[in-house]
Amino acid sequence: MHEENTSTAPATGKPASSLLDPFARSISYLRLSLTDRCNLRCLYCVTEEESEGSLCKLDHEDLLSYEEMLRVVRVAVAMGISKLRLTGGEPLTRRGVLPFIAALGAIPGLTDIRLTTNGVFLADKAAALLAAGVGKVNISLDSLKPERFARITGVDCFQEVWRGVEKALALGFSPVKLNVVAMRGVNDDELVDFARLSQELPLQVRFIEFMPMGAGSRWSRDMYLSTDAIMAEVSRLGDLLPVEQVRHDGPARVYRLGADARGSLGFISPISHHFCDSCNRLRLTSAGTLRSCLLHDEEIDLRAILRSTQDDAAVRAAFRQAIADKPKGHQLEERLRESGGDCHGRMSRIGG
């Protein structure tokens, strides 16, 4: 693996850092899971056993403290990370999250702080989040029908989530993205309705292929819907016009549904058209482990390192090791053929 480049950029006078993995991918993006707790029980995140009883959650002392997370982010940004996404669980359920985000916003060199949320608390916290430095928000929303939304999430709170969407748009978050996990027999009859939203509102609707995740996952081939099938369905509304993407745009292939559409459509295809060749991310789980790929179990126990030494060199070494270990691809297709696709970890801990 290439060491980070800390030469000085003549045009700005600031350090020009880069982190390259063994396949020459530039790593600039850290996804930080603040908690494994969530106020919803979505069918693709909660196992069948958990849906009938209590959820298995980390003890508070097993979570990284805000001080520990700030230390990690400062080290990561100094090495070349410039984009940070806050995930969970549901990140807005953790106490003190707003002052923590404000502290993140004060870190020199951290230019992009984003949030993924289920949207339940977003309307009340949106203004404070924007003031703290979050400019971009992804909201999980798998149905526009309140009763169906309650069946998918286990909670009757569609109106609260929709108020969060409206508040984010009104305050000027840009972009506002809706994450829709497309599931055959669950919400596939709403694909056109979601696509129509992108014509009417300045948001990006992102259709995500349902993927197997963790022991006890409810994924099945019968529920899987490919991006090609989704695109064929929504294109009944009009032509899908490709949108030019820029650095940090992420894995979605983005289109506008007609020249007059106010928003756009994104298609994320971890199974049918994987995006491993351009992956630029690492993940810090809520358990404090550093993970270089969502679908590979290899992790580095960063929590143990943080609690055993105040020497940031050890943290830097952990990042370098995670980047060196980053696989070329997730090989999910092969696993699906060989074992039915029982993949790794718990999504609530890894970070959605």
Side-chain angles (χ1 to χ4, degrees), residues 20-81:
L20 295 178
D21 75 0
F23 307 99
R25 293 172 296 198
S26 179
I27 309 303
S28 58
Y29 178 14
L30 178 66
R31 296 176 69 99
L32 176 59
S33 179
L34 304 188
T35 178
D36 64 337
R37 284 166 167 73
C38 186
N39 50 322
L40 302 184
R41 300 165 78 100
C42 296
L43 64 85
Y44 47 76
C45 194
V46 175
T47 67
E48 291 187 26
E49 292 79 7
E50 288 177 326
S51 68
E52 301 297 328
S54 60
L55 303 183
C56 181
K57 297 299 178 184
L58 294 167
D59 292 333
H60 182 73
E61 59 268 21
D62 292 329
L63 296 171
L64 292 184
S65 69
Y66 285 141
E67 291 76 13
E68 288 169 330
M69 285 189 281
L70 285 169
R71 179 183 169 193
V72 170
V73 175
R74 289 189 187 103
V75 170
V77 170
M79 294 179 73
I81 297 294

Side-chain angles (χ1 to χ4, degrees), residues 246-301:
V246 297
R247 188 170 178 260
H248 294 331
D249 269 353
R253 291 182 290 161
V254 182
Y255 298 82
R256 204 170 294 280
L257 191 51
D260 297 328
R262 298 184 65 195
S264 60
L265 296 176
F267 299 90
I268 299 180
S269 318
I271 297 178
S272 66
H273 301 282
H274 71 74
F275 37 85
C276 300
D277 287 348
S278 59
C279 183
N280 64 344
R281 69 194 63 184
L282 299 175
R283 295 171 182 266
L284 183 58
T285 74
S286 57
T289 56
L290 192 59
R291 194 176 181 111
S292 61
C293 176
L294 172 63
L295 293 171
H296 280 261
D297 277 335
E298 291 81 3
E299 296 179 337
I300 296 172
D301 189 350

